[in-house]
Amino acid sequence: MLSAAQKKQYQRDGFLVIPGFKSLEEIAALRAGAARIVDAFDPAVASGIFTTKDQEKKADEYFLRSDNAIRCFFEEEAFGPDGQLRQAKELSINKIGHAMHDLDPTFRAFSADARLQQVAHDLGLEQPQVWQSMYIFKQPGIGGEVRWHQDATYFETDPISVTTFWFALEDATLENGCLWAEPGGHRTPLRERFVRSGDDIGVEKLDSTPWPDDSTAVPLECKAGALVCFHGLLPHYSAPNRSPVSRHAYTLHVTDGRTVYSPRNWIQRDEAFPVRGFL
């Protein structure tokens, strides 16, 4: 799937943008699947709010039980002072997570792609294992910031192997909160580790290397249908979306089965619900 130049670019920068990877028809099917999940979601059931600013305070039973399930999470700014939603439910959801790729037929069809298997192999993942899926809405006006982080924080393996497959379902621009990344930043140390023991979770600080800033980071603007692949140690970020246009995206987090998956990672699988690859 990948040319020698693309492989070299990924090794150099820690990320690769592949335009036009998914068709408009595939995107439309996935968006319709997400809309069905949101339509069936009852906001009164839970008030799960997704944030990467303060994981320890925000992580509750609702979040923890989403590890191998399908649950909706609200944007932080979705509610007014009276505790009521400021806008319609479908414009208030931050994301859906975290096992749609295994539990929902529409998401499984999108994720079970032989081309993804080949891309994974080209990136060095000999035995791809898909641990997590997220549908991210980045809602107009209230789409929350996702602070600088590395995905290996949440999916530690020995050696580090987690790779992110990020699909643009709408055009991702500077205005609506596209990804930013630091070219070559995948050669920096792992700064934090998000760990779980039963229902207790926490963030361990590992390294004091500062996060990137505008002097070294670059925006990853791309058109709907693009696939962005990036290394688990690559620092990346997305700004709040204050524009009138949403920025839907779908992500998969994948490790190599040849590596040792940490028993302290927050998502675990067992024989009753085994981790699977792309096929």
Side-chain angles (χ1 to χ4, degrees):
M1 281 293 298
L2 301 183
S3 66
Q6 287 175 313
K7 294 177 184 178
K8 184 177 180 180
Q9 180 187 343
Y10 182 81
Q11 293 168 357
R12 180 191 70 216
D13 295 337
F15 62 85
L16 178 67
V17 180
I18 308 173
F21 190 87
K22 288 288 190 178
S23 69
L24 295 179
E25 292 75 19
E26 290 172 301
I27 291 171
L30 199 70
R31 293 189 63 170
R36 286 192 295 271
I37 293 172
V38 172
D39 185 60
F41 170 62
D42 181 0
V45 171
S47 58
I49 300 174
F50 175 71
T51 179
T52 58
K53 292 180 181 177
D54 196 344
Q55 290 281 8
E56 292 173 275
K57 291 182 180 178
K58 295 296 184 182
D60 55 11
E61 183 178 356
Y62 183 81
F63 169 76
L64 289 173
R65 299 299 177 264
S66 74
D67 53 356
N68 295 317
I70 300 175
R71 292 190 171 183
C72 295
F73 297 83
F74 289 110
E75 294 279 7
E76 289 189 67
E77 298 178 19
F79 299 92
D82 59 358
Q84 300 300 309
L85 289 176
R86 296 178 184 269
Q87 56 281 307
K89 174 178 67 172
E90 60 270 18
L91 293 175
S92 302
I93 303 297
N94 168 281
K95 74 167 186 175
I96 309 170
H98 291 94
M100 297 89 70
H101 62 288
D102 273 334
L103 298 177
D104 184 277
T106 299
F107 282 82
R108 182 63 190 167
F110 189 95
S111 309
D113 187 335
R115 297 175 306 151
L116 289 175
Q117 177 91 346
Q118 186 59 57
V119 171
H121 286 168
D122 289 347
L123 295 179
L125 299 171
E126 186 173 307
Q127 299 174 22
Q129 295 183 323
V130 185
W131 290 94
Q132 174 176 273
S133 51
M134 296 190 297
Y135 189 104
I136 303 167
F137 292 84
K138 204 75 165 180
Q139 299 286 5
I142 62 168
E145 173 190 36
V146 178
R147 70 173 180 85
W148 283 103
H149 67 285
Q150 299 160 297
D151 287 347
T153 290
Y154 305 93
F155 298 94
E156 184 183 19
T157 62
D158 184 15
I160 289 174
S161 66
V162 66
T163 304
T164 300
F165 293 74
W166 189 99
F167 303 89
L169 306 179
E170 295 182 298
D171 293 351
T173 67
L174 288 172
E175 289 71 29
N176 68 3
C178 68
L179 291 173
W180 287 72
E182 180 187 32
H186 62 303
R187 290 187 288 273
T188 60
L190 182 63
R191 295 159 172 82
E192 299 173 336
R193 182 188 293 127
F194 185 69
V195 296
R196 177 177 182 177
S197 177
D199 283 351
D200 295 325
I201 61 174
V203 178
E204 296 179 352
K205 303 295 183 180
L206 303 177
D207 190 274
S208 60
T209 300
W211 294 108
D213 57 29
D214 291 348
S215 67
T216 57
V218 298
L220 305 184
E221 293 186 284
C222 56
K223 295 290 187 180
L227 167 61
V228 183
C229 305
F230 51 93
H231 191 283
L233 286 176
L234 182 77
H236 58 286
Y237 154 90
S238 67
N241 181 13
R242 302 306 181 195
S243 82
V245 180
S246 59
R247 193 224 66 190
H248 288 206
Y250 178 59
T251 69
L252 297 169
H253 292 101
V254 185
T255 66
D256 193 329
R258 298 174 300 169
T259 64
V260 179
Y261 187 81
S262 173
R264 302 175 73 197
N265 289 335
W266 84 278
I267 293 180
Q268 299 290 329
R269 295 288 186 93
D270 57 24
E271 293 181 358
F273 191 25
V275 64
R276 294 193 290 176
F278 289 115
L279 303 179

